[in-house]
Amino acid sequence: MNIREITEKNEQITLSKYACKSKDSRGRDLPQNKCDIRTEFQRDRDRIIHSKAFRRLKHKTQVFLSPEGDHYRTRLTHTLEVAQISRTIARALRLNEDLTEAIALGHDLGHTPFGHCGEYVLNEIHESGFKHNRQSLRVVEKLEKRGYKEGGLNLTYEVKDGILNHTGKALPTTLEGQVVKISDRIAYINHDIDDAVRAMVLKEDWIPRDCTIYLGSTHRDRINTMIRDVINESFDKDVILMSDEIHYYTEKLRNFMFEYVYLNKKAKKEEDKAQNVIIQLYNYFCKNPSKLPKEIYDEIRNENKAQEKVKDYIAGMSDRYAINKYLEIFVPRFRT
């Protein structure tokens, strides 16, 4: 019996009856020989971590564009916080931590530069629309290259399902995916408050008084309250949820953030410029596909899907790469 088989046997013994065991995975689109050390979900986690799309997250906006300071969240640090919260909940509920971690690390791989304002404008200008969860799935299925005929990372069904359904109305089919879905919300509500206070867009005493009473008056206390509530309400159940009371104040806090931060002109004062960068780049490359990187242009000539490839190219850009590409194309350079 090899190490992977020992791990799979231990999962059958120690994990909850509601957990998704590695041995029971629905598998991959392209069957592969199994690793003798890692389970299928551990392999998926490692493939995501080693992907180029994952590395680019460090230079993609979470909320604040081009912040002055090293302590603001980026899309990568957000992803790591989601993974940490998800693993805490999964371990307490005796769910599969490896599956949970893989979904958490991959859930935002398809996010655009400039955060949700980039997603919004790309959804407006691209003919078939744009949603970052669908793009994250496309990244792991098609865009990342690992030598497979169809591209992609060839992940398991369960990880891809969790990535696709981490946002929106649909629930992931596994409890591990549901854990990531609720952990994503816990993470961004709380760390966005922290960043907004740091940016002086928000003051702690503006937070609704009843939210601080029921959830906590500090960043740490609010996260602790939400995590404990999810664990208590979901223990030994076939669904992941919050209590009605904590859910109500969590949603109230989220609505407060939309009013004071996410839609605040001071917090988002650079968004018009950022959206213009994406619009100009999108239109330019749609009209001039030969200016795309050679490997992308070669695919366009073979498949005749210029708009789709342009959308993929722009969505994959980091903030700084998009700005530099804009300057290169649209801003004249003077000789010295």
Side-chain angles (χ1 to χ4, degrees), residues 52 56 143 145 289-303 309 313 321:
K52 290 183 290 185
R56 287 196 299 267
L143 302 182
K145 308 296 183 184
S290 63
K291 299 296 184 180
L292 289 163
K294 183 179 183 301
E295 64 272 17
I296 299 177
Y297 181 55
D298 288 343
E299 292 178 3
I300 291 174
R301 288 191 295 183
N302 293 333
E303 301 177 19
K309 297 297 182 182
Y313 180 49
Y321 183 87

Side-chain angles (χ1 to χ4, degrees), residues 213-258:
I213 290 173
Y214 285 93
L215 300 177
S217 58
T218 67
H219 175 77
R220 178 182 64 184
D221 289 343
R222 286 188 288 269
I223 290 180
N224 188 52
T225 296
M226 293 177 187
I227 290 175
R228 285 179 176 274
D229 185 73
V230 170
I231 292 169
N232 291 334
E233 291 297 311
S234 308
F235 194 82
D236 206 26
K237 293 180 182 176
D238 62 353
V239 66
I240 304 300
L241 39 75
M242 281 181 168
S243 66
D244 290 342
E245 181 178 74
I246 298 302
H247 179 264
Y248 171 81
Y249 289 108
T250 299
E251 286 300 298
K252 183 170 183 177
L253 191 57
R254 181 172 179 267
N255 292 335
F256 165 81
M257 289 297 290
F258 268 96

Side-chain angles (χ1 to χ4, degrees), residues 122-143:
L122 205 49
N123 184 56
E124 289 290 306
I125 62 179
H126 185 57
E127 186 176 27
S128 58
F130 182 90
K131 296 295 181 185
H132 78 270
N133 57 319
R134 294 204 303 259
Q135 188 69 12
S136 295
L137 182 64
R138 181 167 169 78
V139 167
V140 301
E141 285 190 330
K142 299 287 184 183
L143 302 182

Side-chain angles (χ1 to χ4, degrees), residues 90-330:
R91 180 174 293 190
L93 298 178
R94 293 189 298 118
L95 300 177
N96 194 316
E97 280 189 67
D98 296 322
L99 172 57
T100 305
E101 185 178 27
I103 295 170
L105 293 174
H107 81 283
D108 270 356
L109 291 180
H111 236 301
T112 62
F114 311 122
H116 285 286
C117 82
E119 177 177 24
Y120 172 81
V121 73
L122 205 49
N123 184 56
E124 289 290 306
I125 62 179
H126 185 57
E127 186 176 27
S128 58
F130 182 90
K131 296 295 181 185
H132 78 270
N133 57 319
R134 294 204 303 259
Q135 188 69 12
S136 295
L137 182 64
R138 181 167 169 78
V139 167
V140 301
E141 285 190 330
K142 299 287 184 183
L143 302 182
E144 281 289 330
K145 308 296 183 184
R146 283 185 57 89
Y148 303 116
K149 183 178 179 181
E150 297 299 323
L153 300 178
N154 195 29
L155 303 182
T156 57
Y157 167 84
E158 292 79 11
V159 173
K160 293 193 296 183
D161 169 78
I163 288 173
L164 177 63
N165 295 309
H166 81 270
T167 188
K169 294 182 179 180
L171 272 182
T173 58
T174 65
L175 290 194
E176 288 81 359
Q178 292 180 35
V179 166
V180 173
K181 190 182 185 83
I182 204 165
S183 298
D184 184 34
R185 182 162 291 198
I186 292 172
Y188 76 69
I189 289 174
N190 286 290
H191 67 50
D192 290 351
I193 291 175
D194 193 38
D195 281 354
V197 171
R198 180 174 289 107
M200 294 186 289
V201 170
L202 186 68
K203 293 183 178 179
E204 285 276 4
D205 57 9
W206 293 0
I207 298 173
R209 178 63 177 161
D210 51 355
C211 288
T212 61
I213 290 173
Y214 285 93
L215 300 177
S217 58
T218 67
H219 175 77
R220 178 182 64 184
D221 289 343
R222 286 188 288 269
I223 290 180
N224 188 52
T225 296
M226 293 177 187
I227 290 175
R228 285 179 176 274
D229 185 73
V230 170
I231 292 169
N232 291 334
E233 291 297 311
S234 308
F235 194 82
D236 206 26
K237 293 180 182 176
D238 62 353
V239 66
I240 304 300
L241 39 75
M242 281 181 168
S243 66
D244 290 342
E245 181 178 74
I246 298 302
H247 179 264
Y248 171 81
Y249 289 108
T250 299
E251 286 300 298
K252 183 170 183 177
L253 191 57
R254 181 172 179 267
N255 292 335
F256 165 81
M257 289 297 290
F258 268 96
E259 180 179 355
Y260 284 87
V261 178
Y262 302 141
L263 301 179
N264 182 295
K265 290 183 179 179
K266 181 179 178 182
K268 318 303 278 180
K269 60 184 178 181
E270 299 295 307
E271 282 196 352
D272 288 345
K273 298 176 187 177
Q275 290 184 351
N276 184 60
V277 168
I278 290 180
I279 292 170
Q280 295 297 329
L281 290 175
Y282 182 86
N283 290 336
Y284 174 82
F285 285 117
C286 283
K287 293 176 181 177
N288 303 280
S290 63
K291 299 296 184 180
L292 289 163
K294 183 179 183 301
E295 64 272 17
I296 299 177
Y297 181 55
D298 288 343
E299 292 178 3
I300 291 174
R301 288 191 295 183
N302 293 333
E303 301 177 19
N304 195 30
K305 295 181 179 179
Q307 284 191 340
E308 189 72 5
K309 297 297 182 182
V310 170
K311 177 264 296 180
D312 291 340
Y313 180 49
I314 292 175
M317 292 178 175
S318 65
D319 294 16
R320 62 173 61 177
Y321 183 87
I323 291 170
N324 288 337
K325 185 60 66 174
Y326 177 88
L327 293 174
E328 175 188 319
I329 295 171
F330 297 108

